Amino acid sequence: GSVTSPAALAGKTIAVNSLDNSNQLVAEAYLARYGVNPSSLHFVALAYPDMPSALSAGRVAAAITDEPFTTIVKSQGAKVLAAQPDAAIAAHPVYACWVASSDWLTAHKQVAARFVAALGEADSYMAAHPGYLASILPKYTTVSASLARQVTLPDFTTRLAAADIEPWAKAAAKYGITRSVIPPSSALLPIHPAAG
């Protein structure tokens, strides 16, 4: 049958976009809050576009989705157990970021600085023009204009500090993704935006 509560997911199969990643951590931390033993869960990796059909066909009991697929599965009758299950990690977690090795960053300082500057410019533009992203999604993706107006968009920021990484590092160690808590500051190498 369909799942209507977090506790009903004990022993079930959950789709995440990649195994042993942030979405799996979110699912484990969120369900543990409801008494579900994370080791009872079975995770399968599915691309976000494949999650709606896997849910509707009953191949998975639940999925950690992303937009526009959250809106799609809701329109198909799926129940959203938590609009923000990542709150099980931190009150307002930084959820996604660009990652590069320190060797690459050291060898490509100017490219990295220009990339950070471009991200900052895009973030500022979207903050000043909140309807812009919905207007261009249909042009550059397969998301329809109707769906683009319905999706919930994230907050975009270029700020990242050790305090943003710490809850993820603790959860990764707690749920066995890492062997121990990786010092958050060791994951940061500040790149200052290039001017102009």
Side-chain angles (χ1 to χ4, degrees):
S2 64
V3 172
T4 58
S5 71
L9 284 171
K12 302 285 190 207
T13 299
I14 300 173
V16 291
N17 64 324
S18 180
L19 297 178
D20 294 334
N21 75 346
S22 57
N23 283 344
Q24 184 173 327
L25 279 180
V26 165
E28 290 174 327
Y30 170 76
L31 293 171
R33 284 189 170 180
Y34 291 91
V36 175
N37 181 346
S39 66
S40 77
L41 303 169
H42 177 66
F43 290 96
V44 294
L46 286 179
Y48 288 126
D50 297 331
M51 290 181 184
S53 63
L55 275 169
S56 63
R59 291 191 306 272
V60 296
I64 298 280
T65 60
D66 197 5
E67 291 291 10
F69 309 103
T70 303
T71 298
I72 291 169
V73 297
K74 284 168 52 178
S75 74
Q76 294 174 343
K79 178 176 176 57
V80 174
L81 296 179
Q84 295 189 291
D86 55 358
I89 301 294
H92 299 285
V94 173
Y95 198 77
C97 58
W98 290 92
V99 178
S101 72
S102 57
D103 288 347
W104 187 91
L105 291 171
T106 300
H108 300 90
K109 285 180 182 166
Q110 292 174 343
V111 171
R114 288 194 305 268
F115 185 75
V116 169
L119 285 175
E121 193 175 315
D123 289 349
S124 296
Y125 188 87
M126 288 198 297
H129 304 88
Y132 179 69
L133 189 55
S135 75
I136 64 164
L137 277 174
K139 182 175 180 178
Y140 296 103
T141 72
T142 59
V143 173
S144 69
S146 171
L147 185 57
R149 287 190 297 273
Q150 297 174 51
V151 298
T152 302
L153 297 173
D155 293 327
F156 295 96
T157 180
T158 55
R159 292 183 307 273
L160 182 65
D164 298 317
I165 299 170
E166 185 176 16
W168 292 104
K170 287 181 176 177
K174 180 175 182 176
Y175 296 103
I177 303 261
T178 58
R179 286 188 285 277
S180 62
V181 177
I182 296 170
S185 59
S186 73
L188 290 173
L189 178 62
I191 300 293
H192 301 289

